[in-house]
């Protein structure tokens, strides 16, 4: 057995994850970090050998473009956490059931829309502007609504992977990104643009400079 080939996939998962974690801790680059991991996992055969570089390129070249969505993500997480705490501590019985019934669909839809944006950011060209990413995200929502909605339960089902520190450090971003890549399926029209900007087979010539 070729040991290098056997270790290629776990090495790619770890490298993409560690690069993505740097983006997450920066706060401003959380969406590019997620999108970079999603880009790697959407085509692991092509990006496996340079997975860390792919994520760094995504972060460096799209942080400004995706900043509003990154901030919206943190608001979504903080408000969701605060709401869950209130559901447990401030409400009881029927009141709690009512608010859960009202809020869960809202959070589900918002999370699914953010997931569609991340998928779009991971498949369009790194040089695309925010409008192009939003357009692709809208296309995904309307052409694949079930897959869009499935992103939320898939992420929740993988909570032990991204919420437990030992696993998070190793593959807490890359494994959920891999699961979501299987949920979305192969890239479609956006894959044609991806190869023009982010697929460089020569690691020494990889362009990491911001545009």
């Amino acid at each position: 057995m070729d040991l290098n080939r056997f270790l290629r996939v776990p090495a790619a998962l770890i490298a993409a994850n560690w690069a993505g974690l740097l983006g997450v801790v920066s706060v401003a680059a959380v969406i590019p970090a997620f999108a970079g991991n999603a880009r790697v996992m959407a085509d692991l055969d092509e990006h496996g050998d340079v997975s860390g570089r792919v994520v760094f390129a995504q972060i460096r070249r799209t942080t400004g473009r995706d900043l509003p969505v990154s901030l919206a993500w943190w608001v979504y997480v903080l408000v969701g956490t605060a709401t869950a705490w209130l559901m447990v501590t401030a409400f009881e019985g029927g009141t709690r059931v009512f608010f859960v019934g009202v809020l869960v669909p809202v959070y589900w839809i918002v999370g699914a829309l953010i997931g569609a944006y991340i998928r779009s950011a991971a498949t369009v060209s790194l040089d695309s502007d925010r409008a192009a990413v939003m357009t692709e995200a809208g296309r995904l929502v309307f052409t694949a609504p079930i897959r869009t909605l499935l992103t939320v339960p898939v992420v929740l089902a993988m909570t032990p992977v991204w919420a437990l520190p030992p696993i998070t450090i190793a593959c807490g971003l890359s494994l959920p990104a891999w699961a979501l890549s299987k949920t979305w399926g192969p890239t479609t029209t956006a894959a044609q643009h991806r190869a023009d900007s982010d697929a460089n087979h020569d690691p020494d010539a990889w362009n990491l400079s911001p545009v």
Side-chain angles (χ1 to χ4, degrees):
M1 178 183 294
D2 186 344
L3 183 60
N4 289 332
R5 183 177 180 83
F6 177 76
L7 295 176
R8 182 172 181 265
V9 171
L13 293 174
I14 293 172
N17 185 75
W18 288 359
L21 286 177
L22 294 178
V24 171
V25 298
S26 73
V27 177
V30 61
I31 294 299
F34 292 158
N37 271 268
R39 186 179 294 272
V40 171
M41 298 307 144
D43 196 342
L44 193 55
D45 288 338
E46 182 177 348
H47 295 143
D49 293 333
V50 288
S51 59
R53 290 174 180 265
V54 171
V55 178
F56 278 130
Q58 184 89 32
I59 291 172
R60 294 191 61 179
R61 296 175 63 180
T62 66
T63 293
R65 181 195 72 188
D66 296 338
L67 182 59
V69 185
S70 292
L71 297 178
W73 162 262
W74 287 115
V75 171
Y76 174 73
V77 170
L78 293 175
V79 172
T81 303
T83 302
W85 181 78
L86 285 174
M87 292 300 103
V88 173
T89 61
F91 300 109
E92 296 180 356
T95 304
R96 180 185 299 169
V97 172
F98 170 78
F99 279 108
V100 169
V102 170
L103 294 176
V104 166
V106 174
Y107 286 124
W108 191 340
I109 291 173
V110 173
L113 293 176
I114 293 175
Y117 185 94
I118 292 171
R119 170 69 172 186
S120 301
T123 53
V124 302
S125 166
L126 293 178
D127 297 324
S128 300
D129 58 16
R130 190 181 306 128
V133 182
M134 295 290 288
T135 299
E136 175 66 9
R139 187 191 69 80
L140 292 177
V141 170
F142 286 106
T143 60
I146 301 301
R147 293 179 182 181
T148 301
L149 291 174
L150 281 176
T151 58
V152 175
V154 167
V155 171
L156 291 177
M158 301 200 72
T159 298
V161 174
W162 52 262
L164 297 176
I167 306 176
T168 303
I169 295 172
C171 55
L173 297 183
S174 54
L175 271 184
W178 175 83
L180 289 173
S181 73
K182 298 303 181 183
T183 301
W184 282 109
T187 54
T188 54
T189 55
Q192 300 169 5
H193 305 295
R194 183 188 65 224
D196 295 334
S197 63
D198 77 317
N200 189 325
H201 295 288
D202 180 5
D204 295 330
W206 193 274
N207 179 18
L208 295 179
S209 60
V211 292

